[in-house]
Amino acid sequence: VQLQASGGGLVQAGSSLRLSCAASGRTFSRYNMGWFRQAPGKEREFVAAVSWSGGSTYYTDSVKGRFTISRDNAESMVYLEMNSLKPEDTAVYYCAAAVSGLKLPDTYDYWGQGTLVTVSS
């Protein structure tokens, strides 16, 4: 699976952004999809995941109620809608695909190149 993330940018605190991840290659609908982020000097952390069917979603506590993950299997796309952005959300955001993983980076099989989100105060 090849993954291409896009949609990052520089925004002010309180703003919204929508990240997109386009997948190509193997059957997209077979994979759980996740978003991770890595801030400068920090480890990559889980942000959100959606099951292969789209029926289940998972979030890290710090983004619950602000971020929404969704997928469109017909279009092989996964999205991360980010609202009420905070400076601490600043990071490079990566989309990833997993046969069975959900929250742990090591359980993901394929990774996109990342898109930078910068939230100014």
Side-chain angles (χ1 to χ4, degrees), residues 46-47 58-68 86 103:
F46 168 77
V47 176
Y58 308 85
Y59 299 93
T60 192
D61 287 345
S62 62
V63 309
K64 285 180 181 177
R66 299 189 298 122
F67 291 11
T68 303
K86 304 176 181 180
K103 296 185 179 181

Side-chain angles (χ1 to χ4, degrees), residues 65-78:
R66 299 189 298 122
F67 291 11
T68 303
I69 188 171
S70 61
R71 66 188 296 161
D72 183 339
N73 284 346
E75 297 295 329
S76 298
M77 296 289 295
V78 63

Side-chain angles (χ1 to χ4, degrees), residues 29 31-32 50-57 69-71 73:
S29 60
Y31 295 89
N32 298 330
V50 58
S51 63
W52 61 270
S53 67
S56 298
T57 56
I69 188 171
S70 61
R71 66 188 296 161
N73 284 346

Side-chain angles (χ1 to χ4, degrees), residues 8 20 36 40 46 61 63 67 92 101 110 113:
S20 300
F36 292 79
F46 168 77
D61 287 345
V63 309
F67 291 11
V92 177
Y110 303 97
Q113 87 291 356

Side-chain angles (χ1 to χ4, degrees), residues 15-105:
S15 299
S16 299
L17 273 177
R18 188 194 198 201
L19 304 184
S20 300
C21 178
S24 61
R26 296 180 183 268
T27 305
F28 176 73
S29 60
R30 293 180 179 176
Y31 295 89
N32 298 330
M33 297 298 298
W35 285 97
F36 292 79
R37 65 187 179 187
Q38 187 166 18
K42 296 187 177 181
E43 292 186 353
R44 190 169 299 189
E45 65 170 351
F46 168 77
V47 176
V50 58
S51 63
W52 61 270
S53 67
S56 298
T57 56
Y58 308 85
Y59 299 93
T60 192
D61 287 345
S62 62
V63 309
K64 285 180 181 177
R66 299 189 298 122
F67 291 11
T68 303
I69 188 171
S70 61
R71 66 188 296 161
D72 183 339
N73 284 346
E75 297 295 329
S76 298
M77 296 289 295
V78 63
Y79 304 99
L80 186 68
E81 186 75 37
M82 305 186 296
N83 298 315
S84 303
L85 282 162
K86 304 176 181 180
E88 51 263 43
D89 294 318
T90 295
V92 177
Y93 283 71
Y94 299 88
C95 62
V99 173
S100 59
L102 279 174
K103 296 185 179 181
L104 299 178

